[in-house]
Amino acid sequence: MNARHNNKPVPVVVDTDPGVDDAVAILMLLSDPSFDVLGFTTTAGNVPLARSTRNSLALLEHIGRSDIPVCRGAARPIRGRYAYARQVHSASGLTRRMKEPDIGASNTKAIPFLATTLNAHPGEVTLIALGPLTNLARLWRSNPDALRAAGRIVVMGGAVNARGNASPHAEFNFYSDPTAAKVIFDSGLPLTLIDLAACQRVAISRAQAETVRSGSKMGTLAAELLEGWFARDSSRQQFYLYDPLAVLAATHPQVVGLDGMTMRVVDSDDTDDSAMWGKCEVVDANQGPIQVAAPDRVDSDAAWAAIKELLDWE
Ligand code: RIB
Ligand code: CA
């Protein structure tokens, strides 16, 4: 099921910290003609800002989409410093050598780009956040009406009633900037949350990554990035498709089942125990503005089929 309204592509902005799974998610989204990607805003997270921006530009140039602007965002979280995840995504952030992009980032920074774009298309833009929520939180603090103007907000992040992947309690994006995640949850903004527990229902194995072939340039690049990820460590047996599932929540909403909840996020105002920072606390499991993907209602087969369809994988 695609998301066209009145047969027009749905406008989308992606906030991202590429990162291998971000890259696969971006390639999936750009393969779907039902969506019109108006721009990317970058944040540090998996890698420093200069790297996530360079990787975004390199990906777009490689697939001939240098027409899409890339706007630099957060180099630092609201408090503290980013943890980075070079050990997962490699020092460069992408597990395939990419030509140094000829194109540069936009002169417009992330926050003004988001404000201008969301206000120009009130109620229409799907904002997909694939990294720490620093840019969204800064936009909320400086221009809340702009963020309210988003048609839909989809977030990959958090670990709801589940063990974290950055600490025992916190998922990496929320751990990287817990105060930003707290600001967004406390805002009361309606959003779709694709958390760690849901994402762990959708993975690609080493064997699948080594055998998958694609008839498209975007699908081939996605396959090469995944093959490169497995090649970095012979003990790696599966790759969780975190950010790709967040994109599917927008392009193929039927692959996830959502439950409305009220939640808050723990940060340094709540405790000095840094292992708790970024933890999701459920305030009301039965109602609220945060639509959480229920792990037992992720249709893994449909998700895998949608990923193969978008990337033209055989
Ligand atoms: O915890 C998974 C998330 O952290 C993904 O967005 C991945 O790219 C990293 O940013
Ligand atoms: Ca990411």
Side-chain angles (χ1 to χ4, degrees), residues 16-19 21-22 46 130-131 173 243:
T16 185
D17 63 332
D21 64 318
D22 298 68
N46 286 319
L130 303 178
N173 287 333
D243 293 341

Side-chain angles (χ1 to χ4, degrees), residues 276-299:
M276 298 289 283
W277 299 347
K279 176 179 169 63
C280 291
E281 289 184 336
V282 177
V283 174
D284 185 338
N286 301 307
Q287 61 182 349
I290 298 174
Q291 293 288 316
V292 185
D296 59 351
R297 294 190 354 244
V298 173
D299 186 336

Side-chain angles (χ1 to χ4, degrees), residues 49-70:
L49 177 65
R51 200 77 229 178
S52 66
T53 304
R54 179 263 182 203
N55 289 345
S56 302
L57 292 164
L59 285 168
L60 291 172
E61 186 166 292
H62 183 88
I63 60 172
R65 290 305 311 271
S66 301
D67 57 298
I68 302 175
V70 174

